[in-house]
């Protein structure tokens, strides 16, 4: 039997090339022009799961993109790990900001990735991290090292809200029965500071439309005499934060969990350099809610951000016009206990109430989801912690993330099991941005760490 380390050493070129092949398929779930590529990716995942030793690998059709499911049940009395990941990716735009084409992966060294990083859309989020599990499975099955049962559920609609996965989970509770859910779709603090994600934020996403006059108007003839929807919209948006950067929507903070001083002190122990943070973003100051640190602002506190705003004339030169309509897309990141549907309602009621006379306001909810926190005394967390100790030589730090994987809270609700988030990406890996990448070292370290989780989870479950 071969150790995982030497197995990786012998196979690393193949592991990289297989991932590169997967990254070449533009599985953009948001854009229907890529439908056949998304479907092709599902087929590729199916084949890879079969090759890795899964039995009964099947593609489950949904109203949207399919779910790839595979399992290996070795003994009903042993624990079962359910691995979740996603094979869809975000759109790559703006394309001109990429240094190399997003679906033509290349490996290049960076300051934070001296051993090279794979540059491609989906490299880190989530094809690279999902594929670590497939390769870890391959190791365990080919070396007789699989200590428990495993189920894989890889979806193609995470980046567009997992609506059909939610239906699939509700309809297949028996099939998906498990003792722990394992996901690599988050990050860690640094290569020498391993961390386990213990929290995710929830999300409420809305679109707003402000309508003024029934048509675009000459800004000289009508300017000053009628409400300008863009002026009004920006004023309304500006009023959503007060001078302390608190959100002004009545009731917004009612259910927000306030951390104790002890919990906040614990959080503050995580290594963090504000100077390096500012430098990496080319900003001279950070910005946010008064009374909270940067790490608190982007993890344990809820936020409201405009994601896009448009209206009026944005072409070349100048056009003197008052547009009839103005629009914005707004997201709110939520923390545990805030109910996303309730927050969406609070937003809608408030936003409509602050509209001045002379305009009409329409609020259209998009998707959303609940936040998540997982305890650090569960068998799953302890097993993960031991696995990192084994491969990083250090105890990982529990860390709440600012990102969202809304399906995780539904997993707990429907399947009654805890999720362990073992992420190996770095914040600087530019997920959702141009030049997304995933460190080769991180990829291989993930493959190395995962089998230890299986081993310790099985042992600690006895
Ligand atoms: N993998 C990310 C979420 C993530 C990244 C969590 C890093 C923690 C650390 C996921 O694919 C994602 O992008 N989620 C979306 C929400 C979804 C409903 C589109 C997000 O967080 O914006
Ligand atoms: Mn993801
Ligand atoms: Mn994503």
């Amino acid at each position: 039997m071969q150790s995982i380390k030497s197995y990786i050493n012998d196979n690393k070129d193949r592991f990289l090339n297989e991932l590169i092949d997967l990254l070449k398929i533009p599985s953009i779930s948001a854009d229907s022009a890529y439908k056949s590529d998304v479907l092709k990716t599902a087929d590729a995942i199916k084949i890879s799961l079969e090759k890795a030793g899964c039995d009964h690998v099947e593609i489950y059709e949904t109203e949207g993109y399919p779910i790839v499911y595979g399992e290996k049940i070795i003994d009903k009395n042993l624990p079962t790990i359910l691995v979740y990941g996603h094979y869809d990716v975000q759109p790559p735009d703006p394309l001109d900001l990429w240094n190399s084409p997003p679906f033509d992966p290349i490996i290049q060294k960076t300051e934070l990735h001296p051993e090279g990083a794979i540059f491609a859309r989906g490299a880190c989020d989530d094809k690279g991290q999902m594929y670590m599990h497939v390769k870890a499975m391959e190791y365990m099955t080919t070396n007789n090292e699989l200590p428990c049962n495993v189920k894989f559920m890889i979806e193609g609609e995470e980046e567009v809200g997992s609506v059909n996965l939610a239906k699939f989970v509700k309809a297949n509770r028996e099939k998906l029965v498990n003792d722990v859910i394992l996901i690599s779709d988050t990050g860690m603090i640094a290569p020498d500071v391993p961390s386990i994600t213990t929290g995710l934020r929830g999300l409420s996403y809305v679109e707003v439309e402000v309508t003024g006059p029934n048509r675009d108007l000459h800004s000289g003839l009508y300017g000053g005499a009628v409400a300008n929807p863009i002026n009004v919209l920006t004023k309304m948006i500006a009023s959503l934060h007060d001078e302390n950067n608190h959100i002004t929507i009545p009731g917004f903070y009612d259910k927000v969990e306030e951390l104790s001083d002890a919990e906040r002190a614990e959080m503050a122990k995580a290594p963090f350099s504000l100077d390096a943070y500012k430098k990496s973003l080319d900003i001279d100051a950070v910005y946010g809610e008064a009374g909270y640190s940067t790490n608190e602002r982007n993890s344990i506190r809820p936020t409201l951000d405009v994601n896009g705003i448009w209206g009026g004339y944005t072409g070349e030169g100048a056009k003197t016009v008052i547009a009839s309509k103005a629009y914005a897309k707004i997201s709110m990141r939520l923390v545990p206990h805030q109910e996303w549907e309730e927050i969406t309602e609070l937003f809608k009621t408030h936003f409509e109430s602050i509209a001045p006379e002379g305009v009409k306001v329409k609020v259209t909810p998009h998707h959303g989801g609940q936040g998540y926190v997982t305890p650090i005394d569960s068998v799953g967390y302890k097993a993960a912690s031991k696995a990192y100790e084994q491969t990083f030589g250090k105890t990982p730090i529990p860390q709440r993330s600012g990102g969202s994987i809304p399906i995780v809270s539904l997993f707990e609700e429907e399947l009654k099991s805890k999720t362990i988030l073992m992420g190996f990406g770095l914040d600087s890996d530019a997920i959702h941005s141009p030049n997304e990448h995933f460190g080769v070292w991180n990829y291989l370290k993930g493959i190395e760490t995962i089998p230890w989780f299986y081993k310790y989870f099985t042992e600690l479950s006895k």
Side-chain angles (χ1 to χ4, degrees):
M1 247 178 304
Q2 219 183 343
S3 77
I4 177 68
K5 263 196 156 146
S6 79
Y7 191 76
I8 291 171
N9 217 25
D10 290 355
N11 293 284
K12 64 172 177 244
D13 289 342
R14 179 172 59 82
F15 287 179
L16 282 168
N17 288 329
E18 287 177 13
L19 175 56
I20 285 171
D21 282 343
L22 204 56
L23 290 168
K24 285 182 182 164
I25 321 175
S27 49
I28 307 164
S29 51
D31 186 344
S32 58
Y34 293 89
K35 185 171 178 188
S36 66
D37 291 301
V38 185
L39 297 174
K40 204 169 127 189
T41 311
D43 291 336
I45 303 294
K46 176 174 188 268
I47 295 168
S48 73
L49 285 175
E50 281 164 350
K51 283 194 182 152
C54 281
D55 302 324
H56 317 294
V57 186
E58 266 175 83
I59 291 193
Y60 285 84
E61 298 300 336
T62 72
E63 280 169 39
Y65 287 121
I67 293 155
V68 190
Y69 179 85
E71 60 181 33
K72 189 161 188 77
I73 308 297
I74 56 172
D75 180 345
K76 289 239 147 46
N77 297 314
L78 286 169
T80 300
I81 297 174
L82 174 68
V83 176
Y84 161 82
H86 63 94
Y87 64 81
D88 64 322
V89 302
Q90 285 277 326
D93 57 270
L95 278 173
D96 53 328
L97 293 184
W98 284 78
N99 298 326
S100 59
F103 298 106
D104 200 353
I106 56 161
I107 296 181
Q108 257 178 348
K109 293 191 168 117
T110 73
E111 205 181 320
L112 286 170
H113 297 292
E115 302 186 23
I118 312 169
F119 283 79
R121 170 57 84 232
C124 179
D125 183 13
D126 179 41
K127 283 176 176 163
Q129 296 213 69
M130 176 268 294
Y131 207 65
M132 298 181 315
H133 289 269
V134 181
K135 294 299 99 179
M137 174 74 175
E138 175 195 306
Y139 161 74
M140 292 185 286
T141 56
T142 50
N143 291 279
N144 207 12
E145 288 279 358
L146 184 67
C148 61
N149 306 312
V150 55
K151 298 176 176 176
F152 277 84
M153 180 169 66
I154 314 296
E155 72 153 320
E157 296 188 306
E158 196 277 341
E159 299 292 7
V160 291
S162 302
V163 175
N164 291 299
L165 182 72
K167 293 183 201 160
F168 180 80
V169 170
K170 286 181 187 169
N172 291 281
R173 277 195 297 247
E174 280 304 305
K175 180 185 194 67
L176 300 174
V177 164
N178 66 78
D179 297 282
V180 73
I181 298 169
L182 182 60
I183 304 180
S184 296
D185 192 21
T186 55
M188 61 178 189
I189 297 177
D192 57 346
V193 189
S195 57
I196 298 174
T197 304
T198 51
L200 294 164
R201 285 196 286 192
L203 184 69
S204 162
Y205 202 109
V206 297
E207 185 165 331
V208 298
E209 179 191 288
V210 174
T211 308
N214 61 2
R215 57 195 164 89
D216 287 8
L217 301 174
H218 188 289
S219 68
L221 296 181
Y222 289 91
V226 296
N228 176 332
I230 302 177
N231 291 10
V232 168
L233 174 61
T234 51
K235 201 168 165 183
M236 288 170 76
I237 288 172
S239 79
L240 296 175
H241 289 95
D242 69 13
E243 66 284 4
N244 291 315
N245 278 315
H246 290 301
I247 295 156
T248 55
I249 300 168
F252 186 84
Y253 290 100
D254 283 2
K255 293 187 177 170
V256 167
E257 167 201 46
E258 295 289 343
L259 266 64
S260 67
D261 289 347
E263 283 170 304
R264 291 180 68 185
E266 196 54 44
M267 263 190 81
K269 284 188 193 158
F272 176 71
S273 157
L274 194 59
D275 279 336
Y277 187 82
K278 289 191 287 193
K279 202 164 160 236
S280 75
L281 300 173
D282 273 329
I283 50 176
D284 53 17
V286 290
Y287 186 95
E289 188 181 2
Y292 294 93
S293 70
T294 293
N295 274 337
E296 290 174 335
R297 287 170 179 166
N298 68 22
S299 65
I300 59 162
R301 299 299 295 168
T303 56
L304 182 151
D305 278 291
V306 178
N307 295 229
I309 182 162
W310 68 103
Y313 184 69
T314 55
E316 197 183 331
K319 179 185 179 191
T320 47
V321 67
I322 293 174
S324 164
K325 285 177 187 286
Y327 307 84
K329 290 187 194 278
I330 297 174
S331 68
M332 288 161 279
R333 295 282 168 174
L334 310 175
V335 296
H337 310 319
Q338 283 182 297
E339 303 280 344
W340 77 271
E341 279 160 323
E342 192 179 323
I343 293 292
T344 304
E345 264 319 296
L346 290 178
F347 176 91
K348 191 173 189 297
T349 308
H350 177 66
F351 207 70
E352 285 166 355
S353 80
I354 60 173
E357 283 180 353
V359 299
K360 293 185 215 56
V361 167
K362 195 165 107 191
V363 177
T364 311
H366 280 266
H367 52 76
Q370 291 299 109
Y372 185 69
V373 260
T374 192
I376 61 170
D377 58 1
S378 68
V379 173
Y381 187 90
K382 285 180 191 157
S385 185
K386 283 184 73 151
Y388 282 85
E389 274 165 32
Q390 184 75 41
T391 58
F392 286 77
K394 281 185 182 171
T395 305
I397 298 171
Q399 194 203 27
R400 290 217 211 172
S401 171
S404 308
I405 311 176
I407 201 71
V408 171
S409 69
L410 185 119
F411 285 159
E412 178 154 308
E413 235 171 81
E414 297 293 326
L415 306 175
K416 313 282 176 229
S417 48
K418 296 270 173 253
T419 291
I420 300 300
L421 297 155
M422 288 174 59
F424 294 90
L426 302 182
D427 279 357
S428 53
D429 286 347
I431 62 171
H432 294 206
S433 302
N435 304 311
E436 174 177 355
H437 54 279
F438 188 36
V440 171
W441 182 88
N442 302 64
Y443 176 55
L444 300 177
K445 206 68 179 168
I447 300 172
E448 183 189 340
T449 308
I450 290 163
W452 291 104
F453 175 81
Y454 280 64
K455 176 176 150 65
Y456 291 130
F457 186 75
T458 308
E459 283 176 16
L460 294 173
S461 297
K462 276 178 191 150

